[in-house]
Amino acid sequence: MLLSGKRGLIVGVANKRSLAWGIARAAAREGARLALSYQNERLRRNVDRLGGEIDGTWTLPLDVAVEEEIDAAARMVRERFGGLDFLVHAVAFALRSDLAGDYVSTSREGFRIAHDISAYSLTALTRRCAPMLEADGGGAVVTLSYLGGERAVPHYNVMGVAKAALEASVRYLAADLGPRGVRVNAISAGPAKTLAASGVAGIGSMVKHYREFAPLRAGTDPMEVGDAAVFLLSHLSRAVTGEVLHADSGFHALGATIPGV
Ligand code: NAD
């Protein structure tokens, strides 16, 4: 088992379709002990129920927009686990009005919110977790990105700009924390119909487009993302940091443009 006895905090489970839930299942299969956070009381029941499916898993509240909640979450992890071996950040949010039509129409507030929740939160969380990750002989952080951070993808708009900031954060965090034994990487996943993705106009057509044209002729299954995460969280990737690993059936390798969807 690749993560035997490792303690992980997974931020971003909303329901059974969440990519973070795929990561949780894959990590548990490899022997990890998990804490799952829920964004608010509305999502708590889902996350408690899902957590109940994996022995020993506990849950905690965490809205990444609130600094005090990040502090409290780190404290809780220290008390319950006595330390931390890995952190998974699978959080994104933008105003629905900014995920349709043109990027050029993005409001100042919409830009701020998307970057605060989807990009800055990785830095804020990693800062609180780094002392624990470092203390136990080094640890790993994984976040989730999308091709829209590298190329202009129809309707992804400000979320693509936030993913570019997220991927740049991965490189800067990797540079800062590497000397302390903490690795930081991203998985750029292909499209999957999740709660967050349902806010992006045309997500159904995008999944269909991947099934038709991606080299592996498939959309994205959360367990594929989970298995890629196990690699990045385990000793198998001990020489890998500051990396963006594409788990997208090879779509990023194509030169063809993405049609309007
Ligand atoms: P999801 O809706 O299941 O997960 C998004 C999570 O973000 C939810 O659990 C939600 O509660 C959480 N979140 C939003 N605002 C928050 C806040 N203020 N505080 C705490 N949590 C907050 O959808 P998903 O598709 O699994 O998204 C997970 C990650 O994967 C996101 O970063 C997303 O951009 C990325 N991603 C998704 C796809 C896709 O097609 N679904 C593709 C590539 C990358």
Side-chain angles (χ1 to χ4, degrees):
M1 294 211 283
L2 290 166
L3 300 175
S4 190
K6 291 201 183 293
R7 300 151 299 181
L9 170 60
I10 298 191
V11 181
V13 176
N15 57 37
K16 64 180 187 341
R17 292 176 170 224
S18 295
L19 299 186
W21 179 236
I23 296 174
R25 281 184 294 158
R29 182 196 67 215
E30 298 299 331
R33 293 156 57 201
L34 300 177
L36 307 180
S37 72
Y38 50 87
Q39 181 189 348
N40 50 38
E41 283 303 310
R42 193 172 52 78
L43 291 173
R44 179 179 188 163
R45 220 158 55 113
N46 279 354
V47 179
D48 279 348
R49 192 174 41 74
L50 289 170
E53 293 180 17
I54 299 173
D55 273 356
T57 299
W58 54 280
T59 67
L60 68 163
L62 175 55
D63 180 337
V64 298
V66 183
E67 288 286 302
E68 296 74 23
E69 290 203 18
I70 303 178
D71 286 331
R75 260 198 318 275
M76 224 176 288
V77 166
R78 191 182 289 279
E79 281 164 22
R80 293 280 300 256
F81 271 157
L84 192 67
D85 300 295
F86 66 83
L87 165 68
V88 173
H89 171 276
V91 171
F93 179 77
L95 300 179
R96 189 172 274 263
S97 54
D98 286 332
L99 296 174
D102 293 339
Y103 168 70
V104 73
S105 308
T106 307
S107 66
R108 185 178 295 266
E109 183 62 358
F111 189 96
R112 187 195 65 73
I113 291 171
H115 283 71
D116 184 26
I117 306 297
S118 317
Y120 180 69
S121 61
L122 173 70
T123 300
L125 262 170
T126 301
R127 185 165 65 249
R128 271 37 166 254
C129 293
M132 289 188 276
L133 295 168
E134 180 186 3
D136 290 311
V141 178
V142 165
T143 187
L144 293 184
S145 192
Y146 174 61
L147 188 63
E150 300 166 57
R151 313 219 203 123
V153 174
H155 310 309
Y156 205 62
N157 298 352
V158 71
M159 188 56 82
V161 182
K163 290 301 191 194
L166 181 75
E167 292 183 12
S169 303
V170 164
R171 292 184 281 274
Y172 280 93
L173 290 168
D176 281 353
L177 300 178
R180 294 161 61 183
V182 178
R183 299 182 297 107
V184 185
N185 292 291
I187 295 170
S188 183
K193 286 188 194 169
T194 60
L195 194 61
S198 68
V200 182
I203 179 72
S205 315
M206 190 60 92
V207 170
K208 189 162 163 283
H209 189 71
Y210 272 61
R211 288 198 185 120
E212 282 173 18
F213 297 107
L216 295 175
R217 300 286 190 268
T220 297
D221 180 317
M223 283 310 285
E224 297 166 355
V225 178
D227 287 342
V230 165
F231 166 67
L232 290 175
L233 296 172
S234 77
H235 70 281
L236 293 183
S237 62
R238 59 197 175 280
V240 180
T241 193
E243 185 64 284
V244 179
L245 173 67
H246 293 82
D248 67 348
S249 299
F251 191 87
H252 70 284
L254 299 181
T257 53
I258 299 168
V261 289

